């Protein structure tokens, strides 16, 4: 026998004992039957009022649980649709209390999934914006008005990783070319005379826009400076040859040639 039934029987027994005790007291006092009836009716009404109040409280609890179940089902339908998940199946044989707990727990789990996805989307968008500013590329196309799917987030992660790799490649190319350009400018005694050249030799390397056009322009500048150096070297070689020919013609002594050769 369930313990609750045993307790219910004990409650009825307590009530019977209390009524018997009251009747004995009334008998000893000598209270007339008419007054005993009135007093018994008062006891009955008091007990009925107390029990009615307890029943109403439990009925209210049941209504709150049923209302919570309805709200949780509605919230679950919305969350499953937003997260692109299949509908949540409940155990039909479970009690009202267990069903409410299961549904509420599932809602909390899916709400956390939704928050996590939106937070990751926000973080990826921030990284994407920063990288697009540096690389002068277009932002990743994704619907920001809805909760992203796991596939969308995975594609976005791979896109941002690819941009990071591209940024590092272009940064290395920029730093390497910049070093060569500065050396060539010093060698050619060339002062940067365009805004692009000034941007290239600027000490703040992070400020340089690593766009595809800028990388191409950087390569072109390096090639131009290398061509100028090659031209200068060719001119120098020709001039040296002419000097040697003049020395020969003028029969300049070796010591004098050596002192001039330093220059």
């Amino acid at each position: 026998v369930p313990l609750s039934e045993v307790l219910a029987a004990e409650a009825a027994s307590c009530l019977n004992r209390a009524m018997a005790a009251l009747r004995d007291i009334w008998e000893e006092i000598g209270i007339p039957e008419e007054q005993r009836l009135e007093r018994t009716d008062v006891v009955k009404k008091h007990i009925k009022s107390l029990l009615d109040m307890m029943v109403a409280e439990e009925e209210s609890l049941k209504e709150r649980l049923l209302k919570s179940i309805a709200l949780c089902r509605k919230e679950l339908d919305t969350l499953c649709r937003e997260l692109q998940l299949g509908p949540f199946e409940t155990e039909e044989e479970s009690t009202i209390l267990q069903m409410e707990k299961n549904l509420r727990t599932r809602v909390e789990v899916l709400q956390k999934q939704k928050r996590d996805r939106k937070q990751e989307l926000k973080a990826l968008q921030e990284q994407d914006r920063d990288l697009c500013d540096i690389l002068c590329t277009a932002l990743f196309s994704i619907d920001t008005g809805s909760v992203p799917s796991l596939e969308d987030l995975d594609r976005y992660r791979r896109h941002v990783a690819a941009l990071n790799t591209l940024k590092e490649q272009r940064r290395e190319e920029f730093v390497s070319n910049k070093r060569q350009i500065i050396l060539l400018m010093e060698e050619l005694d060339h002062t940067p005379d365009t805004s692009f050249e000034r941007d290239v030799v600027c000490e703040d390397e992070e400020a340089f826009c690593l766009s595809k056009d800028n990388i191409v322009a950087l390569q072109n500048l390096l090639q131009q400076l290398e061509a100028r150096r090659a031209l200068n070297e060719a001119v120098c070689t020709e001039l040296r040859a002419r000097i040697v020919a003049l020395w020969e013609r003028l029969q300049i002594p070796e010591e004098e040639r050596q002192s001039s050769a330093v220059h």
Side-chain angles (χ1 to χ4, degrees):
V1 180
L3 187 58
S4 59
E5 288 185 18
V6 174
L7 288 171
E10 282 183 12
S13 177
C14 286
L15 177 60
N16 290 332
R17 282 198 302 273
M19 291 306 298
L22 284 170
R23 280 195 298 272
D24 289 344
I25 293 168
W26 294 335
E27 183 72 37
E28 288 175 25
I29 294 172
I31 292 174
E33 180 63 24
E34 191 180 329
Q35 289 184 19
R36 290 186 199 183
L37 280 171
E38 287 176 5
R39 290 176 186 232
T40 302
D41 191 46
V42 169
V43 171
K44 186 200 80 172
K45 285 178 178 174
H46 186 68
I47 292 168
K48 185 176 182 302
S49 172
L50 179 64
L51 291 173
D52 285 348
M53 185 176 70
M54 292 176 72
V55 169
E57 284 177 0
E58 299 306 296
E59 281 288 351
S60 175
L61 172 62
K62 178 184 165 185
E63 288 303 316
R64 286 200 305 275
L65 288 170
L66 289 172
K67 191 175 181 181
S68 176
I69 285 172
L71 287 171
C72 284
R73 283 186 189 278
K74 190 176 179 183
E75 179 72 8
L76 269 177
D77 287 344
T78 303
L79 285 166
C80 287
R81 195 166 56 251
E82 287 180 332
L83 296 168
Q84 299 173 29
L85 301 171
F88 179 65
E89 301 294 334
T90 53
E91 297 174 16
E92 294 302 325
E93 293 179 6
S94 61
T95 62
I96 291 174
L97 197 64
Q98 189 60 49
M99 187 183 289
E100 193 274 340
K101 184 185 175 186
N102 291 346
L103 288 168
R104 186 161 36 81
T105 303
R106 183 62 178 162
V107 164
E108 287 167 4
V109 168
L110 294 189
Q111 282 175 337
K112 185 179 183 303
Q113 280 188 30
K114 179 179 174 179
R115 282 195 307 275
D116 290 347
R117 288 195 200 179
K118 294 194 93 169
Q119 282 174 359
E120 185 176 3
L121 175 62
K122 187 180 176 185
L124 286 167
Q125 284 177 310
E126 286 174 3
Q127 293 177 60
D128 192 22
R129 272 194 295 273
D130 291 343
L131 287 163
C132 287
D133 286 345
I134 294 168
L135 298 168
C136 297
T137 52
L139 287 167
F140 185 76
S141 176
I142 190 166
D143 181 10
T144 54
S146 61
V147 182
S149 67
L150 294 174
E151 292 77 14
D152 286 339
L153 287 175
D154 185 54
R155 284 192 300 112
Y156 207 168
R157 276 194 294 268
R158 285 187 276 113
H159 173 76
V160 168
L163 286 185
N164 267 312
T165 302
L166 180 61
K167 185 189 84 170
E168 292 309 313
Q169 288 172 349
R170 288 187 181 177
R171 176 77 62 204
E172 284 176 21
E173 188 174 355
F174 166 66
V175 170
S176 171
N177 286 350
K178 174 183 175 176
R179 195 177 300 118
Q180 295 177 66
I181 285 168
I182 289 172
L183 288 172
L184 283 167
M185 283 183 173
E186 287 174 357
E187 193 177 326
L188 296 166
D189 199 21
H190 174 80
T191 305
D193 52 9
T194 66
S195 60
F196 179 74
E197 289 181 7
R198 285 191 287 273
D199 287 344
V200 170
V201 300
C202 175
E203 287 185 11
D204 185 9
E205 292 181 351
E206 297 296 322
F208 187 79
C209 174
L210 298 172
S211 67
K212 188 176 180 181
D213 288 347
N214 271 5
I215 295 298
V216 170
L218 192 72
Q219 292 166 345
N220 289 340
L221 176 60
L222 179 59
Q223 288 169 3
Q224 287 167 14
L225 292 171
E226 284 174 339
R228 278 178 58 184
R229 183 180 66 177
L231 182 63
N232 284 4
E233 283 176 352
V235 170
C236 287
T237 301
E238 186 187 341
L239 288 172
R240 286 194 194 98
R242 287 168 65 184
I243 288 168
V244 169
L246 285 169
W247 281 342
E248 292 295 332
R249 192 182 300 172
L250 297 169
Q251 297 180 344
I252 302 297
E254 189 62 34
E255 304 81 45
E256 200 174 322
R257 292 188 190 187
Q258 289 295 333
S259 64
S260 299
V262 174
H263 305 293

